[in-house]
Amino acid sequence: MSFHPKIDYREFHRSTRKMPYDDGKVFAYEPDNRARLEDIAKRYPPEGRKSAILPALYLVQRQLGYISLSSMQHVAEAIGCTAAEVEDVVSFYTMFYTRPMGKFVVQVCRTLPCALRGAERVTEELTTALGIQPNDTDSTGTFTLMEVECLGACDRAPLVMVNDSWHECLQPEDAKKLADDLRARGEDALTGCHHQSPDRAKG
Ligand code: FES
């Protein structure tokens, strides 16, 4: 007799690799974003221009909401690398999305410190408040709900991140209020120190 829980090993063999998403549109940076990318690229020697790949991808995501196949090709041309190198980076990092997401991407940390402080209940309450399951986007395109690993603010557990900003110490009973506040006030509803997207790209 075994005391180990039954584990479905098929789960571990399933590929979760993000595949390039062809939205059928040709991507190009808007002039502001192109200028911002050029500012960032100046920090590197000309032969190291591709070191700007992460901010280059963040700029795409902020403009488009996700990383499309065409945008990967555009980034490759803009920073001087291959489209395969861009795809490697996009498929490695979970913060890059390869499908359309909601206006508010609500990410609940599920790593141990947050889990011990009730993250699972937070997810349950958000599921009810938003009317979607983790990894889903609602029919209006307003919310996407995700469970993610450590967001780097374990002392403020349970932590939720909405787009690029933290919401700290969210209690399960406050999940509905957060959803309502986001609808009403957008990211102003969040409590954390705000790392707003353009600043992070500039920084
Ligand atoms: S464990 Fe949740 S932010 Fe680190």
Side-chain angles (χ1 to χ4, degrees):
M1 176 179 174
S2 169
F3 292 97
H4 290 285
K6 208 173 155 193
I7 296 174
D8 184 353
Y9 288 100
R10 286 171 302 177
E11 192 64 23
F12 298 102
H13 292 283
R14 193 184 63 205
S15 170
T16 53
R17 188 164 196 274
K18 290 184 285 186
M19 300 305 289
Y21 172 63
D22 184 1
D23 62 2
K25 299 176 194 153
V26 176
F27 177 87
Y29 284 119
E30 290 166 355
D32 278 4
N33 283 336
R34 182 67 199 214
R36 195 168 287 156
L37 174 61
E38 292 308 319
D39 276 350
I40 293 166
K42 279 187 206 146
R43 298 172 194 167
Y44 306 99
E47 67 277 14
R49 188 176 164 88
K50 70 179 180 181
S51 299
I53 191 164
L54 290 178
L57 287 167
Y58 270 120
L59 287 169
V60 171
Q61 190 153 284
R62 281 160 204 157
Q63 179 177 319
L64 191 61
Y66 54 91
I67 311 290
S68 66
L69 181 63
S70 169
S71 69
M72 287 189 206
Q73 289 157 350
H74 189 72
V75 166
E77 284 161 24
I79 62 172
C81 68
T82 66
E85 287 174 303
V86 177
E87 190 194 334
D88 281 348
V89 172
V90 171
S91 62
F92 180 79
Y93 288 106
T94 56
M95 67 274 204
F96 293 126
Y97 313 132
T98 51
R99 61 188 165 98
M101 307 292 272
K103 178 179 172 192
F104 301 113
V105 179
V106 181
Q107 303 179 74
V108 184
C109 173
R110 65 179 180 188
T111 305
L112 189 60
C114 286
L116 290 173
R117 290 185 54 87
E120 196 176 342
R121 287 277 302 117
V122 168
T123 301
E124 279 175 16
E125 292 299 325
L126 282 171
T127 296
T128 303
L130 304 178
I132 48 175
Q133 296 295 317
N135 293 323
D136 282 350
T137 299
D138 70 0
S139 58
T140 66
T142 307
F143 292 105
T144 298
L145 180 61
M146 299 171 73
E147 289 182 293
V148 297
E149 303 306 333
C150 182
L151 291 165
C154 320
D155 59 321
R156 296 158 204 190
L159 194 81
V160 171
M161 193 161 172
V162 179
N163 297 345
D164 291 325
S165 300
W166 287 337
H167 192 74
E168 301 164 356
C169 307
L170 179 64
Q171 298 306 304
E173 58 272 24
D174 296 328
K176 181 173 183 318
K177 181 174 184 319
L178 174 62
D180 292 343
D181 285 351
L182 281 168
R183 285 190 189 96
R185 299 193 285 129
E187 291 185 28
D188 287 345
L190 304 175
T191 58
C193 49
H194 289 208
H195 301 288
Q196 292 298 337
S197 314
D199 294 341
R200 191 192 279 180
K202 276 186 216 159

